[in-house]
Amino acid sequence: MPISTSGSYTQGPSCFDRMKMGFGIGFCVGLASGALFGGFSALRYGIRGRELIQSVGKMMIQGGGTFGTFMAIGTGIRC
């Protein structure tokens, strides 16, 4: 198969796209760590039922937002 020599180069993702991807990855990691740490701490304090789900969900969103923000900032610095 012949190699194209037309000079067409493919561009990578833009800096903003990289920051969005960094936020998404950081958000997922933060969700997982929030579920683990929030779940264990809530069970340690004896929280059960609806309160358990609410407190773990809150920890997951907080952890995801925080870690995602820092990952996006770090990715933006590297651009």
Side-chain angles (χ1 to χ4, degrees), residues 15 18-19 21-23 70-79:
C15 188
R18 288 182 186 182
M19 287 178 64
M21 188 168 51
F23 180 81
F70 285 118
M71 282 286 289
I73 291 170
T75 306
I77 290 172
R78 292 189 65 194
C79 283

Side-chain angles (χ1 to χ4, degrees), residues 4-75:
S4 173
T5 58
S6 64
S8 63
Y9 296 104
T10 59
Q11 292 183 341
S14 68
C15 188
F16 185 68
D17 289 336
R18 288 182 186 182
M19 287 178 64
K20 287 192 300 187
M21 188 168 51
F23 180 81
I25 291 170
F27 192 79
C28 291
V29 170
L31 283 178
S33 65
L36 287 174
F37 295 131
F40 286 133
S41 67
L43 290 174
R44 186 177 64 199
Y45 288 123
I47 300 173
R48 298 287 190 264
R50 181 177 290 175
E51 289 180 84
L52 174 69
I53 301 299
Q54 289 175 349
S55 66
V56 170
K58 183 178 177 182
M59 288 289 292
M60 288 173 68
I61 296 298
Q62 286 177 345
T66 302
F67 199 73
T69 300
F70 285 118
M71 282 286 289
I73 291 170
T75 306

